[in-house]
Amino acid sequence: MSERLDVGFVPAECPGAAGTGAVRTSTLLIERLSNYHDLTVYVSSQMDASSADLPAEDRVEYVIHDKLPKLPHPLTNKIETLREESHALNQHELVHSYSSAFIPVLADLDVPTLSTINSYLPVCPKADMMYHGEQKCSGPGRVKCANCIPATALKRRQGLDEELRGGYVALGQIGFVHESLDRSWDIDAYHALSPHLVEDFGKIGFPDERIEVIPHFYDETFEVENTEGRSKPEAGRAVKLLYVGALQDIKECTCSYAV
């Protein structure tokens, strides 16, 4: 392999669009990685890419499949659409997916593969690893998950529409979870954002010796300029922070279109 690799990169949704932290990080990765490698970015999403400010055009090519239908199931449509690009993906020296949703696709490739673990989706159809929304789950099971999904939805009390939509999406992801577990050893390497993910995924059957922890990098675009001339706090002095918001016990991916 040359020092500058030919990389196939699969972002979370449409890079450059408004969305989750994973979308933002995917965008930053494309910007940074394009400085060192040649990228072909494969977008498979229900979002509209025309409204996205696609990052980095120098030595970056985009293969865009956007506005995918949400029925019969949003995740299935994304996976099958990316699977149609398998021949093109196999032409790269490395394929990296920053979305946890494409392990089954990467597992079928003949080139080195890297998958980022940025959610519990590969091991939990609700993507939260909380059994009945109350305690840490020990691992998935088809009957177990089918019972847990509606039980958790009732406890969330987020409204009938949200509960029905979230339950439908999660139930449709039970098969995906078991396929991801079955194919987890066919991925060459994993990138995890925190150490606890390595432990949790390893207990369920993922090859934890292949998982490297690389936390989110610092990016100067997040820095807020001090426009009011306030002095910086002195070293050793306590800093008081005010947080205005609400705390939620469960961070659950009820809208699994952005994984």
Side-chain angles (χ1 to χ4, degrees):
M1 290 184 182
S2 62
E3 185 175 342
R4 189 176 182 98
L5 297 178
D6 177 0
V7 179
F9 183 76
V10 185
E13 300 301 339
C14 294
T20 63
V23 176
R24 172 65 174 160
T25 304
S26 293
T27 303
L28 291 174
L29 281 172
I30 293 170
E31 293 173 351
R32 298 296 181 87
L33 289 173
S34 64
N35 293 327
Y36 306 97
H37 305 290
D38 299 325
L39 299 184
T40 301
V41 180
Y42 295 84
V43 176
S44 182
S45 172
Q46 276 84 23
M47 296 175 68
D48 183 358
S50 65
S51 62
D53 184 13
L54 296 176
E57 297 183 359
D58 185 26
R59 305 190 79 161
V60 179
E61 295 183 17
Y62 290 91
V63 179
I64 297 178
H65 301 280
D66 65 343
K67 295 182 284 188
L68 298 179
K70 297 178 181 179
L71 297 174
H73 193 276
L75 184 58
T76 300
N77 292 338
K78 290 171 63 175
I79 290 173
E80 292 307 314
T81 298
L82 186 63
R83 204 185 295 275
E84 293 173 1
E85 297 290 347
S86 293
H87 177 75
L89 290 167
N90 267 321
Q91 306 308 307
H92 299 292
E93 294 177 285
L94 170 70
V95 175
H96 174 199
S97 173
Y98 193 77
S99 171
S100 302
F102 298 113
I103 288 176
V105 179
L106 268 62
D108 285 332
L109 300 180
D110 298 322
V111 297
T113 51
L114 168 65
S115 178
T116 293
I117 300 174
N118 55 15
S119 80
Y120 282 113
L121 180 61
V123 294
C124 173
K126 297 190 287 92
D128 65 353
M129 279 295 289
M130 295 294 291
Y131 185 61
H132 283 210
E134 297 175 342
Q135 58 186 348
K136 193 69 171 287
C137 182
S138 60
R142 293 184 182 274
V143 176
K144 179 181 179 182
C145 292
N147 173 268
C148 175
I149 290 167
T152 304
L154 289 174
K155 293 175 183 177
R156 287 199 317 267
R157 292 179 295 182
Q158 293 182 348
L160 181 61
D161 288 345
E162 284 294 322
E163 290 171 5
L164 289 176
R165 182 164 62 92
Y168 171 78
V169 171
L171 286 169
Q173 289 168 175
I174 293 177
F176 162 78
V177 165
H178 288 273
E179 184 177 7
S180 294
L181 279 168
D182 292 341
R183 303 303 305 275
S184 62
W185 286 80
D186 295 322
I187 304 298
D188 294 295
Y190 291 93
H191 159 219
L193 301 179
S194 57
H196 77 272
L197 287 172
V198 182
E199 181 180 356
D200 290 344
F201 274 67
K203 287 179 179 178
I204 296 173
F206 269 67
D208 52 1
E209 68 273 13
R210 299 184 190 174
I211 306 176
E212 183 74 20
V213 178
I214 305 175
H216 277 309
F217 53 85
Y218 168 75
D219 183 78
E220 62 274 5
T221 60
F222 290 111
E223 184 175 351
V224 178
E225 184 179 354
N226 183 1
T227 59
E228 299 182 10
R230 294 194 182 99
S231 60
K232 294 183 178 181
E234 298 177 5
R237 288 188 59 185
V239 177
K240 294 182 179 180
L241 301 175
L242 173 65
Y243 171 77
V244 179
L247 297 177
Q248 186 172 336
D249 291 335
I250 306 168
K251 180 182 178 182
E252 182 172 346
C253 183
T254 57
C255 182
S256 300
Y257 316 134
V259 293

